[in-house]
């Protein structure tokens, strides 16, 4: 399945090349000035929030869907656009490239402290961006008649009324999907493939919807600002367990397992094959006149 050449020319990269690329990206971010990481994280928080805005607009413009399936497919599709903006734009989202920062720690190229510092800066910047965008939605959405406050109320209702273990498990799935998304995008060699991968995988998160710490933050905070009865306690409950689940899903189920797959793959085997010989498959010594 994976290529064994040093300079692959196929449509996808080998596992080893993906690992090397993700490690390089993670180490670059770890050694980047904190201000640069924070600005990138803030931009990602703003950008991913477009997905929440588009979901709210879809529910406002079409409040009555023909079926639940049609509704969820629509919401999943429009929410994925925000992730497309972030990943193609290469800004730093906690649940995307940042979870792959576990890889340098596994190879002793970075410390746990380096990892936690990067996670802290990116997550904080992401949340500030989401907060600002939620405020923007509340400020202009109803005035422009593009957002019905009840739309965000229904979106928050789909995320909040669950016990901690359900939110955590759902967050694991969302983090897992985001980690896979990052991995598949890194494996792809062209922009069209990356766009398709992002839209398909990210749409799955909104389709469920699974709990995503950043997209969900914009949804929940916008509902709060729009007077939909969401409390700070509910938001804190959501954010705590969702963030934990996202980190486990991306860091363990993608980064750790894929690293283990490469680490235990063994050495490459070179096979010399002579097309004119059938040795090993029968007697090739028979002379024919």
């Amino acid at each position: 399945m994976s290529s064994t050449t040093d300079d692959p020319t196929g449509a996808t990269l080998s596992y080893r090349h993906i690992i090397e690329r993700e490690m390089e990206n993670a180490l670059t971010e770890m050694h980047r000035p904190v201000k640069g990481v924070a600005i990138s994280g803030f931009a990602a928080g703003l950008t991913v929030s477009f997905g929440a805005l588009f979901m709210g607009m879809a529910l406002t413009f079409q409040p009555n869907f023909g079926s639940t399936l049609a509704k969820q497919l629509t919401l999943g599709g429009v929410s994925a656009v925000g992730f497309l903006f972030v990943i193609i734009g290469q800004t730093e989202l906690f649940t995307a490239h940042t979870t792959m920062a576990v890889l340098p720690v596994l190879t002793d190229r970075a410390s746990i402290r380096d990892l936690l510092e990067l996670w802290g800066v990116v997550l904080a910047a992401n949340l500030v961006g989401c907060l600002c965008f939620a405020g923007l939605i509340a400020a202009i959405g109803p005035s422009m008649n593009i957002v019905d406050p009840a739309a965000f109320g229904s979106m928050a209702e789909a995320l909040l009324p669950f016990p901690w273990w359900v939110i955590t498990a759902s967050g694991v799935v969302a983090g897992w999907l985001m980690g896979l998304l990052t991995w598949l995008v890194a494996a792809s060699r062209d922009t069209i493939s990356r766009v398709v991968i992002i839209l398909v995988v990210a749409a799955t998160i909104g389709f469920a919807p699974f709990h995503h710490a950043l997209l969900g933050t914009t949804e929940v905070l916008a509902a709060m600002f729009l007077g939909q009865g969401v409390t700070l306690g509910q938001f804190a409950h959501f954010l705590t367990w969702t963030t934990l689940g996202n980190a486990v899903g991306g860091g363990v189920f993608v980064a750790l397992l894929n690293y283990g797959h490469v680490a235990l793959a063994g050495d490459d085997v070179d096979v010399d094959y002579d097309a004119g010989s059938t040795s090993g498959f029968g007697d090739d010594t028979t002379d024919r006149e």
Side-chain angles (χ1 to χ4, degrees), residues 43-55 74-93 95-96 130 133 178 181 195 198-199 202-203 205-206 212 214-215 218:
L46 290 172
T47 307
V48 77
S49 297
F50 274 106
L53 174 61
F54 296 157
M55 292 171 72
T74 300
L75 295 181
V78 298
S79 69
V81 178
F83 292 107
L84 177 67
F85 292 163
V86 168
I87 295 173
I88 296 299
Q90 299 184 27
T91 49
E92 199 65 38
L93 193 69
T95 52
C130 292
F133 202 98
M178 286 301 300
L181 173 56
V195 169
I198 293 167
L199 292 178
I205 297 174
H212 186 274
L214 290 319
L215 179 65
T218 305

Side-chain angles (χ1 to χ4, degrees), residues 152-199:
F152 276 90
S154 66
M155 290 159 59
E157 181 66 20
L159 297 174
L160 295 178
F162 299 100
W164 69 269
W165 61 271
V166 172
I167 295 177
T168 303
S170 176
V172 167
V173 176
W176 193 344
L177 287 169
M178 286 301 300
L180 286 173
L181 173 56
T182 303
W183 187 270
L184 293 173
V185 167
S188 178
R189 299 292 296 270
D190 63 90
T191 302
I192 298 300
S193 297
R194 291 173 182 172
V195 169
V196 172
I197 289 168
I198 293 167
L199 292 178

Side-chain angles (χ1 to χ4, degrees), residues 30 98-102 105 110-120:
M30 286 179 176
T98 313
T99 54
M100 303 302 285
V102 171
V105 177
S111 66
I112 294 179
R113 179 178 178 179
D114 294 330
L115 174 65
L116 294 179
E117 287 179 351
L118 177 63
W119 279 7

Side-chain angles (χ1 to χ4, degrees), residues 211-223:
H211 288 70
H212 186 274
L214 290 319
L215 179 65
T217 287
T218 305
E219 297 176 51
V220 173
L221 288 180

Side-chain angles (χ1 to χ4, degrees), residues 46-76:
L46 290 172
T47 307
V48 77
S49 297
F50 274 106
L53 174 61
F54 296 157
M55 292 171 72
M57 292 171 64
L59 290 173
T60 298
F61 297 148
Q62 182 61 48
N64 299 312
F65 286 85
S67 67
T68 302
L69 177 60
K71 174 183 175 182
Q72 293 308 119
L73 283 173
T74 300
L75 295 181

